[in-house]
Amino acid sequence: MEKNQRIIYGIHTDNEGRCVHYHSEVDVVANMCAMCHKFYACYKCHDELEDHPFEPVESDEEATAMCGACGKLYSYKEYACLSKCTGCGHEFNPRCALHKSIYARTSDT
């Protein structure tokens, strides 16, 4: 599946998945909601646009985090260990780790 076939939902998203809430150069990772299986720019966008709260995925479930720059998919566990995309080299925001418990269920949360 090509990047242009994957949709990143959100409010005022750009072509790399930055949204109204998180829009720095490194805010390019979209996360999948376990309930609706849609990739969202952030949990805030999700919760404003859907009729259910963002539901975290299992951290080792495949293809639940996506680089908005190139479309490469990762499990949340893989993505959380990276500072940049292994597909295109785009840097990721290290402060996203602050929201780990929102996006993924892990044995240490």
Side-chain angles (χ1 to χ4, degrees):
M1 185 181 283
E2 297 296 318
K3 179 192 173 210
N4 62 5
Q5 294 176 309
R6 295 189 186 113
I7 298 171
I8 298 175
Y9 295 89
I11 300 169
H12 302 297
T13 55
D14 69 11
N15 63 350
E16 291 185 337
R18 294 174 197 90
C19 67
V20 68
H21 304 105
Y22 300 100
H23 46 269
S24 76
E25 178 61 26
V26 292
D27 289 317
V28 296
V29 173
N31 287 278
M32 180 184 286
C33 171
M35 184 173 285
C36 62
H37 296 97
K38 294 178 185 176
F39 283 101
Y40 266 90
C42 78
Y43 72 96
K44 292 177 183 180
C45 286
H46 175 278
D47 290 354
E48 288 181 40
L49 296 171
E50 296 290 342
D51 63 359
H52 60 274
F54 192 96
E55 181 73 26
V57 296
E58 296 298 326
S59 66
D60 57 355
E61 183 179 346
E62 293 195 22
T64 59
M66 176 176 53
C67 175
C70 74
K72 182 163 177 64
L73 296 173
Y74 300 94
S75 69
Y76 187 89
K77 189 175 188 177
E78 292 170 323
Y79 153 67
C81 295
L82 300 171
S83 62
K84 62 184 176 180
C85 180
T86 60
C88 69
H90 199 293
E91 290 185 32
F92 294 150
N93 188 339
R95 293 182 50 84
C96 289
L98 298 172
H99 303 125
K100 177 180 179 178
S101 65
I102 294 171
Y103 294 116
R105 282 190 284 275
T106 61
S107 57
D108 60 299
T109 57

